[in-house]
Amino acid sequence: MALTYKQTLEKIAPGIEFLMTLYLTPSLTREEIRKAKAAGIVGVKSYPHGVTTNSELGVSSYEMYYPVFKAMEEEDMVLNLHGEVPSDPLTNACVLNAEPLFLPKLIALHTEFPKLRIVLEHATTRAAVECVKSLGDTVACTITAHHLELTVDDWAGQSFHFCKPVAKYPDDRTSLREVVHEGHPRFFLGSDSAPHPHKTKTTDISLILQSHSSSGSAVPAPSPPSCAAGVYTSPILLPLVADLLESFGALQNLQAFVSNNGRKFYKREVDPSKLPAMVILKKGVTNVPLLVGNDLQGEASIVPFRAGKSIGWHIASWGDLSL
């Protein structure tokens, strides 16, 4: 399935190299890892069970996958971790501390498999930043654009800023900005952009009433639909990142953060004998639309990040294409 999807993407954008991953489930074996590596798959994505959108088949115990991780280490593949534990009232785990509570698992994995390349994806806390910095060169971390801007106050009551992991406290955001400003080579951009239709991001009263009326009186009414977790930044990502890095004095690290650091960790560094296609950003206005898509009923329309606002940077050219 991953290779079929890759072929579809390559038809749409033949000039881009797509790095494909597998989903860590109990059906994944050491043998499949070796086949995947031979076929050009670069990594495996792990979601803890039930912590985010489409994670119903996620991991409950990492130890059961140790043979898979050993094969990945031997094949030099990358383990991509969604670093949270499931909410649990018995352990006081919730969305605000789910990431720090996961970090002992990251440390255990790195200790057991020191040569396995691991990416802690979309970090949101000072604890995560300090943990990754303390580990070896085989552990890296991605940071999203929206987590460089948002704090808990921005998504509490604003569904279009709700994502997993949720944005945390101002000091956590400061830590993310500090490590980008520092130019740490094992931290790089990961968009985690999620194009959820706007109807899945809002739970209006009509949906609740519809959910209730669909059940008979003898059967408990089903739960109303929940808000989909995800922020949509893809259409504005590079101007947004430039705008954010400029705002906290880190613009000099833009290329390293969005490109060079990640390329190096994934062993996809640019061939010095070839001139790479460059994206050129310039100061100027990017106007963010209120809605992406023409379906006003919400089946295919998406509210982007910073909807209706303007950004102080724009893409002037992309490869040989002037915009």
Side-chain angles (χ1 to χ4, degrees), residues 79 88 100 152 168 207 220 322:
L79 176 61
D88 184 350
V152 62
K168 304 301 193 304
L207 294 175
S322 295

Side-chain angles (χ1 to χ4, degrees), residues 4-263:
T4 301
Y5 183 40
K6 182 180 182 182
Q7 291 172 357
T8 301
L9 294 173
E10 289 172 338
K11 290 179 181 178
I12 298 171
I16 295 177
E17 180 186 9
F18 295 94
L19 306 184
M20 309 307 291
T21 59
L22 302 179
Y23 187 170
L24 184 64
T25 67
S27 64
L28 190 60
T29 64
R30 290 173 293 179
E31 292 72 23
E32 289 300 315
I33 288 295
R34 303 194 195 286
K35 291 179 183 178
K37 175 66 175 184
I41 303 296
V42 301
V44 175
K45 178 64 182 282
S46 166
Y47 297 93
H49 176 73
V51 300
T52 190
T53 308
N54 297 325
S55 62
E56 293 79 9
L57 298 177
V59 176
S60 297
S61 169
Y62 285 88
E63 287 76 10
M64 67 177 287
Y65 292 103
Y66 274 17
V68 171
F69 298 151
K70 183 61 177 177
M72 290 177 62
E73 184 180 48
E74 293 169 351
E75 296 292 341
D76 195 26
M77 295 178 74
V78 177
L79 176 61
N80 302 96
L81 295 174
H82 180 119
E84 293 187 287
V85 300
S87 294
D88 184 350
L90 296 179
T91 60
N92 203 37
C94 68
V95 295
L96 291 175
N97 62 11
E99 183 174 281
L101 290 174
F102 178 85
L103 297 177
K105 299 181 186 296
L106 171 62
I107 295 169
L109 287 170
H110 177 58
T111 301
E112 188 73 21
F113 306 101
K115 295 182 180 180
L116 175 63
R117 285 183 290 152
I118 301 174
V119 178
L120 179 67
E121 298 198 331
H122 40 59
T124 62
T125 60
R126 181 174 292 276
V129 170
E130 295 304 323
C131 178
V132 171
K133 290 174 72 173
S134 73
L135 299 177
D137 290 341
T138 54
V139 180
C141 180
T142 62
I143 298 173
T144 75
H146 49 280
H147 285 125
L148 288 172
E149 178 165 328
L150 302 176
T151 66
V152 62
D153 285 341
D154 296 305
W155 61 262
Q158 169 51 280
S159 62
F160 294 104
H161 291 162
F162 175 69
C163 58
K164 293 287 191 74
V166 298
K168 304 301 193 304
Y169 300 103
D171 180 66
D172 293 306
R173 181 183 62 184
T174 296
S175 180
L176 300 179
R177 292 178 172 185
E178 287 173 347
V179 78
V180 175
H181 188 276
E182 173 189 338
H184 196 293
R186 289 188 283 118
F187 288 77
F188 43 88
L189 176 67
S191 73
D192 199 37
S193 180
H196 294 299
H198 77 75
K199 277 193 172 180
T200 68
K201 293 290 292 178
T202 57
T203 305
D204 62 39
I205 188 65
S206 64
L207 294 175
I208 296 174
L209 293 174
Q210 182 182 13
S211 175
H212 182 80
S213 63
S214 66
S215 65
S217 58
V219 180
S223 299
S226 59
C227 174
V231 172
Y232 186 47
T233 57
S234 291
I236 58 167
L237 183 62
L238 292 180
L240 174 64
V241 174
D243 191 63
L244 284 163
L245 267 60
E246 182 182 38
S247 73
F248 57 86
L251 193 59
Q252 71 277 6
N253 294 328
L254 177 64
Q255 182 166 327
F257 180 62
V258 303
S259 180
N260 296 355
N261 292 353
R263 277 184 169 275

